[in-house]
Amino acid sequence: MFDTTTLRLIWWALLGILFIAFALMDGFDFGVAALLRILGRDEQERHVLLQTIEPTWEGNQVWFVLAGGATFAAWPTLYATAFSGLYLALALVLLAFILRPVGFNFRDKVHDARWRAVWDSVLIFSGVVVMLISGVAFGNLFLGVPFRFDDDLRMTWQGSFFDLLHPYAILAGLVSVAMLLTHGACWVAYRADITIAQRAARIARWTALTYAITFVAAGIWLGYGIPGFAIAGPVTTDGVANPLFKQVTVGSSWFASYMLYPWFWAAPVMGLLGAIGVQWTVGKHSLTGFLCSSLMIVGTILAAGFALFPFLLPSSLDPRSSLTVWDASSSHGTLLLMLGAVIVFLPLIILYTSWVYRVMRGRVTLEDVQHSHNTY
């Protein structure tokens, strides 16, 4: 049905779709959590904010699980290399995911302001950590990460967690934070009591502006200050999954693929148009504002993915060891079997998720929260 080359391209696209879905669905959860004490000025307002995400935040994490599972099954070399070398960074992300449900569940167990402040801090920490580290990780992909393979494909990693905090990677982290704070604020503007929504709309305009500035700055730096990776010589797209069967040069532009496929430029333009749309629509047409912040996320992730293609995990120690779409995948049979599972189950997940959001539609007002407290 599909040859190996086509399956590898399909799974590269599916991996991107899953990461986009994770950023879209869980991104506003993290954004709302990070803004909890800024948008919520008293306990009732903070309850409103939490009620906009509490019915769905746990279900949204399915996209994170799916992205991790797809990486494990479709790109096992990528999964093993990234999780081995980036262990501390990924451990921090997992810690944030562990603390989130604890924060949501324990926050209201004791009716004490100091108790709630502690768990609010936990939720804020979990939101900021995931947003920042995700962006820093993407930034490091363009810099190359310090690993190499020997002739027996045994991986060696050199470096530490703090080596990942390159200024460019930190800038990419700021892009991620500004983008997802905007997404969270737009969600609040769409779903929360109008008083809080107006406050969120003002913050969304500032964070969208911050996103646009940092996104453009990161793009200029990437184009003129970060040497790109390129495969030298003929490319075998359907060969054995061995990263050492190629030669890689460093020094070209990361935007070389944009020159080959000019339509790639639609992705960064989409991100910037989303930020402009937030400026014009949030607070006036709240659903449109949220859709604009979603467009911003889609454009940003696509822009990064198009620039990296066909690289998945470039190596700064030994460019030949860099993992690409063509040499880091599972076998043809595994990719085909998994594609069948995706065709069956992904539409079901989308339909179920759409139904949940339809049921939970509408604003959460201060009156709703006050009534629920009086009832309790």
Side-chain angles (χ1 to χ4, degrees), residues 46-368:
R46 287 189 280 274
H47 267 288
V48 169
L49 292 170
L50 292 174
Q51 284 298 314
T52 65
I53 61 174
E54 277 190 314
T56 55
W57 72 265
E58 201 163 11
N60 290 340
Q61 292 192 154
V62 70
W63 299 105
F64 178 76
V65 176
L66 287 175
T71 305
F72 173 77
W75 310 99
T77 310
L78 171 65
Y79 184 92
T81 304
F83 273 72
S84 296
L86 300 172
Y87 184 81
L88 182 55
L90 292 170
L92 282 173
V93 171
L94 291 176
L95 175 64
F97 272 96
I98 292 169
L99 289 175
R100 289 181 78 205
V102 178
F104 280 120
N105 291 324
F106 278 44
R107 185 183 184 276
D108 292 324
K109 295 297 184 183
V110 178
H111 297 286
D112 177 78
R114 290 173 297 180
W115 173 268
R116 285 171 168 164
V118 168
W119 293 111
D120 285 350
S121 299
V122 168
L123 293 173
I124 293 168
F125 169 82
S126 66
V128 172
V129 163
V130 175
M131 293 189 293
L132 182 62
I133 291 183
S134 298
V136 169
F138 261 100
N140 274 284
L141 294 182
F142 293 106
L143 298 166
V145 290
F147 74 94
R148 62 159 57 93
F149 293 106
D150 65 15
D151 291 338
D152 294 319
L153 292 184
R154 291 175 297 190
M155 192 272 288
T156 300
W157 188 282
Q158 296 179 9
S160 67
F161 170 78
F162 295 102
D163 293 331
L164 302 176
L165 303 180
H166 184 280
Y168 180 79
I170 293 175
L171 177 60
L174 294 177
V175 173
S176 175
V177 171
M179 177 178 72
L180 295 181
L181 285 179
T182 303
H183 199 43
C186 287
W187 175 256
V188 174
Y190 171 51
R191 287 293 315 278
D193 186 272
I194 194 65
T195 302
I196 309 171
Q198 291 173 348
R199 197 179 304 147
R202 291 193 295 269
I203 289 178
R205 294 188 186 98
W206 281 106
T207 53
L209 176 61
T210 303
Y211 158 82
I213 293 171
T214 53
F215 182 60
V216 170
I220 293 172
W221 192 346
L222 183 64
Y224 293 98
I226 308 293
F229 287 56
I231 300 177
V235 179
T236 302
T237 61
D238 59 353
V240 176
N242 187 327
L244 300 182
F245 288 177
K246 68 178 182 302
Q247 294 297 323
V248 174
T249 60
V250 182
S252 62
S253 171
W254 274 117
F255 290 108
S257 59
Y258 282 70
M259 303 300 110
L260 292 174
Y261 309 102
W263 62 270
F264 279 8
W265 288 104
V269 170
M270 190 186 306
L272 292 174
L273 287 178
I276 294 171
V278 169
Q279 295 284 343
W280 283 97
T281 61
V282 69
K284 302 173 185 177
H285 308 283
S286 298
L287 177 58
T288 305
F290 181 69
L291 293 176
C292 285
S293 69
S294 301
L295 184 69
M296 187 172 64
I297 290 173
V298 174
T300 303
I301 296 178
L302 286 179
F306 290 160
L308 280 167
F309 184 83
F311 290 90
L312 297 171
L313 192 67
S315 169
S316 59
L317 289 183
D318 176 22
R320 188 174 66 125
S321 296
S322 299
L323 303 179
T324 73
V325 173
W326 314 125
D327 57 28
S329 75
S330 293
S331 67
H332 179 276
T334 300
L335 296 178
L336 187 61
L337 178 64
M338 290 174 54
L339 182 60
V342 168
I343 291 172
V344 173
F345 290 107
L346 188 59
L348 294 177
I349 294 172
I350 293 173
L351 287 172
Y352 173 77
T353 302
S354 301
W355 175 78
V356 169
Y357 276 90
R358 176 174 173 77
V359 170
M360 302 305 300
R361 68 189 182 276
R363 289 189 180 274
V364 180
T365 66
L366 289 167
E367 289 76 13
D368 293 334

